[in-house]
């Protein structure tokens, strides 16, 4: 069937979803997350900083479409963390955190698999879950183009134009799946990141300003 170009681009271009709903890779109650945190020194330190988890976490694995540094079409993946539970902080309309991760040389880096202790993203993923999702924020955390099962053969490291677009595309795609995974977006957005991710967060903000 021949599709109008605009319709074709809308379904397969930047910010489109490859698999909807995103795969559930883990689901932890607030008690299970607290037990997880208490098991390591890093986790105990996070408990002191973030406080006791109010919410459980429904962890999802999103694949979306974006572009590389040469504006070539590619795919990338991200984690979505949806707060769950009966606490007032965990239900109803929730704010969204768009999180940019730090520099890593681990090609298989995947924040949607942080519950696997052998995953290079385990430490940073646990931090995001404890600091944000367990306190009632919906989290969208891209792995970036070039990582995980992205077909891009390189990562556009500190390429502000590409990385800003990548972050926006991940958020755009994630929001398209929210209604099917119980994520009730309040419409407020917090963009943050660590190390390389600090740069990427600013690039994302610039991209959002530029595109309105």
């Amino acid at each position: 069937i021949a599709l109008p170009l605009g319709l074709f681009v809308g379904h397969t271009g930047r910010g489109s979803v490859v698999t909807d709903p995103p795969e559930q890779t883990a689901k932890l109650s607030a008690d299970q997350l607290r037990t997880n945190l208490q098991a390591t020194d890093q986790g105990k330190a996070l408990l002191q900083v973030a406080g006791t988890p109010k919410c459980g976490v429904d962890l999802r694995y999103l694949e979306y479409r974006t572009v590389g540094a040469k504006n070539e079409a590619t795919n990338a993946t991200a984690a979505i963390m949806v707060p769950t539970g009966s606490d007032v902080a965990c239900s109803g309309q929730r704010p969204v955190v768009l999180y940019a991760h730090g520099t890593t040389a681990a090609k298989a880096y995947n924040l949607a698999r942080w519950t696997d202790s052998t995953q290079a993203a385990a430490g940073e993923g646990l931090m995001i879950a404890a600091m944000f999702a367990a306190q009632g924020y919906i989290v969208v955390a891209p792995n970036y183009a070039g990582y995980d099962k992205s077909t891009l053969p390189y990562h556009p490291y500190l390429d502000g134009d590409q990385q800003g677009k990548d972050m926006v595309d991940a958020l755009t795609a994630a929001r398209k799946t929210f209604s099917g995974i119980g994520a009730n977006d309040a419409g407020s957005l917090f963009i943050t990141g660590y190390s390389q991710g600090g740069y990427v967060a600013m690039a994302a903000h610039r991209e959002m300003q530029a595109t309105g």
Side-chain angles (χ1 to χ4, degrees), residues 70-171:
K70 300 173 184 177
N71 210 39
E72 69 272 47
T74 190
N75 64 320
T77 59
I80 304 175
M81 303 182 198
V82 183
T84 62
S86 57
D87 191 285
V88 66
C90 314
S91 59
Q93 292 191 326
R94 307 309 312 152
V96 175
V97 169
L98 180 61
Y99 179 87
H101 71 71
T103 300
T104 177
K107 171 71 169 66
Y109 203 81
N110 185 357
L111 288 160
R113 305 281 184 193
W114 66 261
T115 55
D116 177 358
S117 61
T118 66
Q119 165 60 236
E124 193 167 7
L126 179 63
M127 179 192 72
I128 301 165
M131 294 291 294
F132 300 118
Q135 300 301 323
Y137 292 88
I138 299 166
V139 177
V140 178
N143 294 317
Y144 306 150
Y147 284 98
D148 188 38
K149 63 179 180 180
S150 172
T151 57
L152 196 68
Y154 65 97
H155 168 55
Y157 184 71
L158 297 185
D159 183 316
D161 180 66
Q162 186 282 331
Q163 296 222 262
K165 288 175 179 174
D166 194 345
M167 291 284 282
V168 170
D169 293 346
L171 178 64

